[in-house]
Amino acid sequence: MIRLAIQSKGRLNEDSLRLLQDTGILVDDAKRKFLGKAANFPLEVLYLRDDDIPGVVADGAADIGIVGLNETAETGAPVRILRRLGFGRCRLSLAIPKSVVYPGRSWFEGRSIATSYPRILKKFLDENGIQAVIREIRGSVEIAPAAGIADAIFDIVSSGGTLVSNGLREVESVFVSEAVLIGRENLSPEKQALLSSLLFRVDAVQESRGKKYILMNLPTPQISKVLELLPAMRSPTIMPLAAEGWSSVHTVVEEATLWDTVEKLKEIGAEGLLILNLDIVVA
Ligand code: PRP
Ligand code: ZN
């Protein structure tokens, strides 16, 4: 049995559960539950506050966890970063009231900054030789300047909406974060084997994200052009069609450039394109 800690509610909860679901592991997303058990994999899920996850993994109360890199860095817990997961992207930034003219980092000298991330902030201030007062508060950091608690804030920025609605402006982006899979040191051989099996599935899920499967018919003389256009995973699958002089081409393309690719394929004579969702890629 291996025990995974994930966020019980908040920005990473849904994506963490979706990742588990995509790896074929069935867990109940009972939000009020503290400990759940997967139906078809020897895995327990511990639902926690994100801030507590790195420490719980370091202590061994959980073996692995899904949490923001920001929380991991802030706690300084001795855990291994096993994988970057590509969701929960955000940054930790310094923000000041939008009416203030910002001359550069020296502005923070002697000022007070409210944050829930004192450790990461202190490192930044030290590295830049800035003396400032850090006021640690646990939540609602964004109201601190208006409430007269601090001159500036250091907090998570994702869409930037919270800053805008509080009359604040991001002036320094200090730390870039995303969700990571963390693990403790010294797992037993049994747990290590379960972790390897889980990582194998996670890698396959990650590999398939942002990709589509594409099928098309193409005049056979154009095949060399399609090979230039689609430097896919390996080479595409090419099969002759019953119609003389035509071939069927199957391959995987990046979703981000899908429509550019489709246009170019049309230009070289591709017809009857089918674009399908891709569930899993096992490399
Ligand atoms: C963070 C942060 C802001 C907000 C920023 O809080 O404290 O309130 O997200 O996001 P935005 O730029 O998209 O508006 P979060 O909801 O993650 O809660 P937590 O920090 O208390 O865990
Ligand atoms: Zn939190």
PDB file of all heavy atoms in Angstrom, residues 5 14 17 66 73-74 81 83 99 116-117 155 166 188 202-203 205 222 258 272:
ATOM      1  N   ALA A   5      -0.909  12.057  -0.562  1.00  0.00           N
ATOM      2  CA  ALA A   5      -1.605  13.218   0.000  1.00  0.00           C
ATOM      3  C   ALA A   5      -1.947  14.193  -1.121  1.00  0.00           C
ATOM      4  O   ALA A   5      -1.080  14.530  -1.929  1.00  0.00           O
ATOM      5  CB  ALA A   5      -0.728  13.905   1.044  1.00  0.00           C
ATOM      6  N   GLU A  14      -9.110  19.502  -7.964  1.00  0.00           N
ATOM      7  CA  GLU A  14      -9.761  18.874  -9.127  1.00  0.00           C
ATOM      8  C   GLU A  14      -8.758  18.263 -10.091  1.00  0.00           C
ATOM      9  O   GLU A  14      -8.945  17.142 -10.564  1.00  0.00           O
ATOM     10  CB  GLU A  14     -10.579  19.920  -9.885  1.00  0.00           C
ATOM     11  CG  GLU A  14     -12.013  19.981  -9.428  1.00  0.00           C
ATOM     12  CD  GLU A  14     -12.807  20.995 -10.232  1.00  0.00           C
ATOM     13  OE1 GLU A  14     -12.547  21.132 -11.443  1.00  0.00           O
ATOM     14  OE2 GLU A  14     -13.671  21.659  -9.645  1.00  0.00           O
ATOM     15  N   LEU A  17      -7.272  15.051  -8.724  1.00  0.00           N
ATOM     16  CA  LEU A  17      -8.201  13.924  -8.861  1.00  0.00           C
ATOM     17  C   LEU A  17      -8.311  13.482 -10.318  1.00  0.00           C
ATOM     18  O   LEU A  17      -8.390  12.293 -10.612  1.00  0.00           O
ATOM     19  CB  LEU A  17      -9.577  14.300  -8.312  1.00  0.00           C
ATOM     20  CG  LEU A  17      -9.666  14.377  -6.784  1.00  0.00           C
ATOM     21  CD1 LEU A  17     -10.965  15.025  -6.353  1.00  0.00           C
ATOM     22  CD2 LEU A  17      -9.538  12.983  -6.163  1.00  0.00           C
ATOM     23  N   ILE A  66       0.755  15.454  -3.990  1.00  0.00           N
ATOM     24  CA  ILE A  66       0.626  16.395  -5.100  1.00  0.00           C
ATOM     25  C   ILE A  66       0.390  17.770  -4.493  1.00  0.00           C
ATOM     26  O   ILE A  66      -0.583  17.969  -3.752  1.00  0.00           O
ATOM     27  CB  ILE A  66      -0.524  16.014  -6.047  1.00  0.00           C
ATOM     28  CG1 ILE A  66      -0.263  14.651  -6.684  1.00  0.00           C
ATOM     29  CG2 ILE A  66      -0.705  17.089  -7.125  1.00  0.00           C
ATOM     30  CD1 ILE A  66      -1.405  14.134  -7.554  1.00  0.00           C
ATOM     31  N   ALA A  73       8.680  24.642  -1.619  1.00  0.00           N
ATOM     32  CA  ALA A  73       9.826  25.527  -1.365  1.00  0.00           C
ATOM     33  C   ALA A  73       9.633  26.286  -0.057  1.00  0.00           C
ATOM     34  O   ALA A  73      10.583  26.476   0.707  1.00  0.00           O
ATOM     35  CB  ALA A  73       9.989  26.507  -2.526  1.00  0.00           C
ATOM     36  N   GLU A  74       8.404  26.716   0.218  1.00  0.00           N
ATOM     37  CA  GLU A  74       8.160  27.512   1.413  1.00  0.00           C
ATOM     38  C   GLU A  74       8.404  26.705   2.686  1.00  0.00           C
ATOM     39  O   GLU A  74       9.003  27.196   3.642  1.00  0.00           O
ATOM     40  CB  GLU A  74       6.727  28.072   1.402  1.00  0.00           C
ATOM     41  CG  GLU A  74       6.366  28.929   2.603  1.00  0.00           C
ATOM     42  CD  GLU A  74       7.245  30.162   2.767  1.00  0.00           C
ATOM     43  OE1 GLU A  74       7.764  30.694   1.762  1.00  0.00           O
ATOM     44  OE2 GLU A  74       7.444  30.587   3.925  1.00  0.00           O
ATOM     45  N   ILE A  81      11.391  15.956  -5.513  1.00  0.00           N
ATOM     46  CA  ILE A  81      10.438  16.337  -6.559  1.00  0.00           C
ATOM     47  C   ILE A  81      10.501  15.225  -7.596  1.00  0.00           C
ATOM     48  O   ILE A  81      11.498  15.079  -8.299  1.00  0.00           O
ATOM     49  CB  ILE A  81      10.838  17.682  -7.231  1.00  0.00           C
ATOM     50  CG1 ILE A  81      11.137  18.770  -6.189  1.00  0.00           C
ATOM     51  CG2 ILE A  81       9.785  18.122  -8.250  1.00  0.00           C
ATOM     52  CD1 ILE A  81       9.978  19.431  -5.570  1.00  0.00           C
ATOM     53  N   ARG A  83       8.042  14.499 -10.142  1.00  0.00           N
ATOM     54  CA  ARG A  83       7.578  14.930 -11.465  1.00  0.00           C
ATOM     55  C   ARG A  83       6.990  16.324 -11.361  1.00  0.00           C
ATOM     56  O   ARG A  83       6.346  16.655 -10.373  1.00  0.00           O
ATOM     57  CB  ARG A  83       6.450  14.017 -11.991  1.00  0.00           C
ATOM     58  CG  ARG A  83       6.860  12.601 -12.360  1.00  0.00           C
ATOM     59  CD  ARG A  83       7.757  12.555 -13.575  1.00  0.00           C
ATOM     60  NE  ARG A  83       8.056  11.177 -13.976  1.00  0.00           N
ATOM     61  CZ  ARG A  83       9.018  10.420 -13.437  1.00  0.00           C
ATOM     62  NH1 ARG A  83       9.782  10.883 -12.465  1.00  0.00           N
ATOM     63  NH2 ARG A  83       9.211   9.182 -13.893  1.00  0.00           N
ATOM     64  N   SER A  99      -1.501  52.993  -7.828  1.00  0.00           N
ATOM     65  CA  SER A  99      -1.219  54.423  -7.974  1.00  0.00           C
ATOM     66  C   SER A  99       0.247  54.770  -7.699  1.00  0.00           C
ATOM     67  O   SER A  99       0.710  55.860  -8.049  1.00  0.00           O
ATOM     68  CB  SER A  99      -2.098  55.199  -6.990  1.00  0.00           C
ATOM     69  OG  SER A  99      -1.884  54.699  -5.682  1.00  0.00           O
ATOM     70  N   SER A 116       2.003  35.090   2.896  1.00  0.00           N
ATOM     71  CA  SER A 116       1.940  33.767   3.524  1.00  0.00           C
ATOM     72  C   SER A 116       3.184  32.965   3.159  1.00  0.00           C
ATOM     73  O   SER A 116       3.277  31.784   3.473  1.00  0.00           O
ATOM     74  CB  SER A 116       0.699  32.997   3.034  1.00  0.00           C
ATOM     75  OG  SER A 116      -0.452  33.792   3.152  1.00  0.00           O
ATOM     76  N   TYR A 117       4.108  33.573   2.442  1.00  0.00           N
ATOM     77  CA  TYR A 117       5.324  32.892   1.981  1.00  0.00           C
ATOM     78  C   TYR A 117       6.581  33.621   2.470  1.00  0.00           C
ATOM     79  O   TYR A 117       7.389  34.097   1.668  1.00  0.00           O
ATOM     80  CB  TYR A 117       5.319  32.797   0.444  1.00  0.00           C
ATOM     81  CG  TYR A 117       4.173  31.955  -0.067  1.00  0.00           C
ATOM     82  CD1 TYR A 117       2.934  32.535  -0.346  1.00  0.00           C
ATOM     83  CD2 TYR A 117       4.307  30.580  -0.216  1.00  0.00           C
ATOM     84  CE1 TYR A 117       1.864  31.759  -0.773  1.00  0.00           C
ATOM     85  CE2 TYR A 117       3.250  29.795  -0.643  1.00  0.00           C
ATOM     86  CZ  TYR A 117       2.034  30.394  -0.924  1.00  0.00           C
ATOM     87  OH  TYR A 117       0.983  29.620  -1.343  1.00  0.00           O
ATOM     88  N   ASP A 155       2.412  37.423  -3.027  1.00  0.00           N
ATOM     89  CA  ASP A 155       1.389  36.369  -3.000  1.00  0.00           C
ATOM     90  C   ASP A 155       1.323  35.655  -4.343  1.00  0.00           C
ATOM     91  O   ASP A 155       1.968  36.052  -5.319  1.00  0.00           O
ATOM     92  CB  ASP A 155       0.026  36.995  -2.653  1.00  0.00           C
ATOM     93  CG  ASP A 155      -0.999  35.974  -2.159  1.00  0.00           C
ATOM     94  OD1 ASP A 155      -0.612  34.832  -1.824  1.00  0.00           O
ATOM     95  OD2 ASP A 155      -2.198  36.317  -2.122  1.00  0.00           O
ATOM     96  N   ASN A 166      -8.282  44.329  -6.305  1.00  0.00           N
ATOM     97  CA  ASN A 166      -7.856  44.978  -5.065  1.00  0.00           C
ATOM     98  C   ASN A 166      -6.967  46.200  -5.319  1.00  0.00           C
ATOM     99  O   ASN A 166      -6.277  46.668  -4.409  1.00  0.00           O
ATOM    100  CB  ASN A 166      -7.139  43.976  -4.156  1.00  0.00           C
ATOM    101  CG  ASN A 166      -8.129  42.999  -3.525  1.00  0.00           C
ATOM    102  OD1 ASN A 166      -8.778  43.311  -2.530  1.00  0.00           O
ATOM    103  ND2 ASN A 166      -8.298  41.843  -4.146  1.00  0.00           N
ATOM    104  N   SER A 188      10.150   1.684   1.270  1.00  0.00           N
ATOM    105  CA  SER A 188      10.387   0.238   1.307  1.00  0.00           C
ATOM    106  C   SER A 188      10.355  -0.285  -0.130  1.00  0.00           C
ATOM    107  O   SER A 188       9.756   0.348  -1.008  1.00  0.00           O
ATOM    108  CB  SER A 188       9.293  -0.435   2.125  1.00  0.00           C
ATOM    109  OG  SER A 188       8.069  -0.337   1.426  1.00  0.00           O
ATOM    110  N   VAL A 202       1.602   7.852 -14.824  1.00  0.00           N
ATOM    111  CA  VAL A 202       1.592   9.324 -14.857  1.00  0.00           C
ATOM    112  C   VAL A 202       2.330   9.820 -16.108  1.00  0.00           C
ATOM    113  O   VAL A 202       1.863  10.714 -16.813  1.00  0.00           O
ATOM    114  CB  VAL A 202       2.227   9.908 -13.574  1.00  0.00           C
ATOM    115  CG1 VAL A 202       2.510  11.399 -13.724  1.00  0.00           C
ATOM    116  CG2 VAL A 202       1.328   9.655 -12.371  1.00  0.00           C
ATOM    117  N   ASP A 203       3.474   9.203 -16.397  1.00  0.00           N
ATOM    118  CA  ASP A 203       4.253   9.616 -17.574  1.00  0.00           C
ATOM    119  C   ASP A 203       3.465   9.394 -18.864  1.00  0.00           C
ATOM    120  O   ASP A 203       3.503  10.228 -19.766  1.00  0.00           O
ATOM    121  CB  ASP A 203       5.583   8.853 -17.630  1.00  0.00           C
ATOM    122  CG  ASP A 203       6.527   9.293 -16.514  1.00  0.00           C
ATOM    123  OD1 ASP A 203       6.284  10.363 -15.912  1.00  0.00           O
ATOM    124  OD2 ASP A 203       7.506   8.569 -16.236  1.00  0.00           O
ATOM    125  N   VAL A 205       0.201   9.378 -19.186  1.00  0.00           N
ATOM    126  CA  VAL A 205      -0.872  10.380 -19.223  1.00  0.00           C
ATOM    127  C   VAL A 205      -0.303  11.730 -19.668  1.00  0.00           C
ATOM    128  O   VAL A 205      -0.854  12.401 -20.547  1.00  0.00           O
ATOM    129  CB  VAL A 205      -1.559  10.513 -17.847  1.00  0.00           C
ATOM    130  CG1 VAL A 205      -2.469  11.726 -17.807  1.00  0.00           C
ATOM    131  CG2 VAL A 205      -2.343   9.249 -17.522  1.00  0.00           C
ATOM    132  N   GLN A 222       2.761  12.830 -52.754  1.00  0.00           N
ATOM    133  CA  GLN A 222       2.938  13.918 -51.771  1.00  0.00           C
ATOM    134  C   GLN A 222       3.493  13.417 -50.435  1.00  0.00           C
ATOM    135  O   GLN A 222       3.708  14.210 -49.522  1.00  0.00           O
ATOM    136  CB  GLN A 222       1.583  14.606 -51.502  1.00  0.00           C
ATOM    137  CG  GLN A 222       0.986  15.309 -52.700  1.00  0.00           C
ATOM    138  CD  GLN A 222       1.782  16.525 -53.079  1.00  0.00           C
ATOM    139  OE1 GLN A 222       2.878  16.412 -53.646  1.00  0.00           O
ATOM    140  NE2 GLN A 222       1.286  17.694 -52.751  1.00  0.00           N
ATOM    141  N   LEU A 258      -2.308  22.435 -34.110  1.00  0.00           N
ATOM    142  CA  LEU A 258      -3.185  21.564 -34.904  1.00  0.00           C
ATOM    143  C   LEU A 258      -3.719  22.250 -36.160  1.00  0.00           C
ATOM    144  O   LEU A 258      -3.622  21.721 -37.263  1.00  0.00           O
ATOM    145  CB  LEU A 258      -4.351  21.074 -34.034  1.00  0.00           C
ATOM    146  CG  LEU A 258      -5.387  20.219 -34.750  1.00  0.00           C
ATOM    147  CD1 LEU A 258      -4.801  18.886 -35.165  1.00  0.00           C
ATOM    148  CD2 LEU A 258      -6.604  19.994 -33.853  1.00  0.00           C
ATOM    149  N   GLY A 272     -10.179  14.328 -46.531  1.00  0.00           N
ATOM    150  CA  GLY A 272     -10.837  13.408 -45.597  1.00  0.00           C
ATOM    151  C   GLY A 272     -10.116  13.309 -44.274  1.00  0.00           C
ATOM    152  O   GLY A 272      -9.921  12.217 -43.731  1.00  0.00           O
TER     153      GLY A 272
END
